[in-house]
Amino acid sequence: MQAVAGAARAARAVVRRRAGAALAAVPAAVALLPTGAVGPAPAAAPAGDGPRAVARDAYFLPPANAEPDDGLTYDPALVPAGAGITVVEVARDGGTRLRLSLTGLLPGRTYGAHVHTRPCGASPDDAGPHYQDVRDPVQPSVDPAYANAENEVWLDFTTDHRGKAHTTTRQDWRFRPGGARSVVVHEHATTTHPGEAGMAGARLACLSVPFE
């Protein structure tokens, strides 16, 4: 436990040292979806009619060791404490583009990842269901007419030999205000079969993101 707490302090120190330059980089995400680091706290591009960007950068820690800006790992065997996550959203022209980057995961492994409706909490279920542009009147939603990659945000990925991964997706719609609040990493790739559509196994980790 002391080792995890020490790793948490060291990880936060790294993130805080990057904060100034990272926040300055957020407006650049509006012009081109970035590959660089972003800040430890939510950052949004200026309000107005133009494009908007939101970015979050964090390390995963067990809920017992985490602070509000940290990501949460519920299964350190599959998402180790100290693994990193970056989420960038760019919203413009009625659409939404998202980039997910991860480090420190198991090498050569496929994970599922989705945008969820509520912030992360101590329990994996606290993040609520998947965000859906058109909401399924039947919950939990396992109907492929609603639980699909066009109506939800699926960010499944496979790590490389170093445990790193990058994935992007674009939706032809914008999030409802306050309707999307986290990214959840799941146990395996997302299923598309009727009765199982949208399912990706256990919720392994979570990062709260105040999507626009």
Side-chain angles (χ1 to χ4, degrees):
M1 189 65 69
Q2 289 181 343
V4 172
R9 287 192 295 270
R12 293 189 194 103
V14 171
V15 171
R16 286 165 184 159
R17 285 197 299 270
R18 289 174 7 201
L23 291 174
V26 169
V30 175
L32 180 66
L33 198 65
T35 57
V38 293
D49 296 332
R52 297 175 64 83
V54 171
R56 286 281 284 113
D57 187 24
Y59 294 92
F60 290 116
L61 295 167
N65 300 101
E67 294 183 359
D69 285 339
D70 295 327
L72 301 177
T73 176
Y74 307 112
D75 188 340
L78 297 180
V79 178
I85 179 171
T86 299
V87 178
V88 176
E89 173 204 10
V90 176
R92 59 182 170 188
D93 301 329
T96 304
R97 187 180 295 272
L98 293 103
R99 177 183 174 89
L100 175 65
S101 301
L102 301 109
T103 61
L105 300 182
L106 302 188
R109 191 183 194 284
T110 298
Y111 295 80
H114 310 122
V115 171
H116 284 243
T117 60
R118 300 174 191 158
C120 311
S123 168
D125 291 337
D126 289 343
H130 296 179
Y131 180 90
Q132 294 182 322
D133 180 46
V134 178
R135 286 177 280 199
D136 188 344
V138 178
Q139 295 294 327
S141 179
V142 291
D143 180 351
Y146 294 93
N148 60 66
E150 288 72 41
N151 193 47
E152 301 182 348
V153 180
W154 296 3
L155 290 157
D156 295 11
F157 60 90
T158 299
T159 57
D160 65 14
H161 68 282
R162 298 170 295 177
K164 295 183 177 182
H166 304 280
T167 184
T168 63
T169 189
R170 189 188 189 283
Q171 308 304 128
D172 293 327
W173 40 261
R174 299 277 293 270
F175 292 119
R176 292 181 292 276
R181 284 294 176 261
S182 60
V183 171
V184 174
V185 177
H186 289 263
E187 182 180 9
H188 56 69
T190 308
T191 302
T192 58
H193 303 301
E196 300 178 353
M199 299 178 66
R203 300 182 183 196
L204 305 179
C206 184
L207 178 68
S208 294
V209 184
F211 290 107
E212 289 285 336

